[in-house]
């Protein structure tokens, strides 16, 4: 029993970590890491990943069905295009507001968590988790897939934080807006393909 749990955890960790490398979610983690503090970004990713992968193993292990990913992709596409426009528009903070924003982590956690939740529904890592859960125990698959994705995205966060210290603010702003727009268009294309 315990050997099966460890095998499911290790296998799920490895598969999801590798699947996440270069994925849009890892690029999102890098983007968010240039805009927010590391801990709120990591918390948002972890919570969203844990929830999505819990749904995934539930589907794979118990139900054997899939989510209506076309409509989810459409909602996510609109959200990402809005995030891109919001990033381009930018905001001006007074010194007092800046200090409050640096102390407040709730909005960053919600923004990151919401974006990751939408992006991961129907994504290849969710589908891989469903597949793994059909063959292995649900808890080991859930734990391994969640840890694998968070580890891959934490790697992107470290890279993002390092790049953020050396890039001019305008480059980060335009780069982040472009990435959000790319994610939005990508999800929109996926939605159109699935809904037609």
């Amino acid at each position: 029993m315990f050997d099966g749990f460890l095998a499911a955890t290790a296998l799920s960790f490895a598969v999801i970590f590798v699947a996440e490398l270069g994925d849009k979610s890892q690029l999102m983690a890098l983007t968010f890491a240039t805009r927010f503090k590391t801990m709120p970004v990591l918390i948002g990713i972890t919570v969203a990943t844990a929830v999505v992968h819990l749904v995934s193993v539930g589907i794979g292990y118990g139900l054997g069905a899939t989510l209506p990913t076309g409509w989810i992709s459409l909602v996510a596409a609109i959200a990402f295009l809005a995030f891109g426009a919001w990033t381009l528009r930018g905001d001006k903070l007074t010194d007092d507001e800046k200090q409050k924003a640096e102390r407040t982590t709730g909005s960053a956690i919600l923004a990151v968590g919401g974006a990751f939740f939408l992006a991961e529904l129907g994504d290849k890592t969710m589908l891989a988790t469903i597949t793994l859960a059909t063959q292995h125990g649900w808890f080991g698959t859930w734990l391994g897939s969640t840890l694998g994705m968070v580890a891959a995205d934490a790697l992107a966060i470290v890279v993002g934080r390092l790049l953020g210290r050396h890039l001019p603010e305008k480059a980060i702003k335009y780069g982040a807006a472009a990435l959000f727009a790319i994610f939005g268009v990508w999800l929109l294309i996926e939605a159109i393909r699935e809904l037609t």
Side-chain angles (χ1 to χ4, degrees):
M1 175 81 173
F2 190 67
D3 287 342
F5 166 77
L6 288 178
T9 303
L11 178 64
S12 298
F13 178 93
V15 167
I16 299 304
F17 182 86
V18 170
E20 187 66 5
L21 294 176
D23 190 59
K24 64 185 175 195
S25 304
Q26 195 178 43
L27 296 174
M28 275 178 29
L30 189 144
T31 301
F32 277 122
T34 62
R35 299 190 54 82
F36 299 116
K37 290 183 177 181
T38 302
M39 197 49 82
V41 173
L42 197 53
I43 290 169
I45 290 169
T46 303
V47 170
T49 300
V51 171
V52 169
H53 288 194
L54 189 59
V55 169
S56 302
V57 296
I59 291 168
Y61 190 73
L63 304 176
T66 59
L67 292 172
T69 56
W71 289 106
I72 292 166
S73 292
L74 183 61
V75 170
I78 293 166
F80 281 109
L81 291 171
F83 288 150
W86 187 2
T87 301
L88 270 182
R89 184 189 66 131
D91 291 321
K92 298 288 183 194
L93 296 176
T94 65
D95 289 336
D96 186 44
E97 289 172 327
K98 189 173 182 180
Q99 288 174 350
K100 285 180 186 175
E102 287 171 353
R103 287 192 305 261
T104 303
T105 58
S107 60
I109 292 170
L110 290 176
V112 173
F116 267 81
F117 182 80
L118 289 172
E120 285 307 307
L121 291 176
D123 190 60
K124 68 181 177 189
T125 52
M126 181 183 183
L127 299 175
T129 302
I130 290 171
T131 304
L132 288 166
T134 63
Q135 301 166 355
H136 304 282
W138 74 269
F139 187 70
T141 301
W142 173 75
L143 184 62
S145 65
T146 300
L147 292 174
M149 185 160 165
V150 170
D153 291 337
L155 178 64
I157 289 171
V158 169
V159 170
R161 298 305 291 178
L162 292 173
L163 286 177
R165 290 188 194 130
H166 302 292
L167 291 175
E169 191 173 331
K170 276 190 175 184
I172 293 170
K173 182 168 105 172
Y174 291 134
L179 285 175
F180 280 127
I182 290 167
F183 299 144
V185 170
W186 182 353
L187 289 167
L188 188 60
I189 291 168
E190 284 181 10
I192 291 168
R193 251 192 262 146
E194 291 177 29
L195 293 172
T196 55

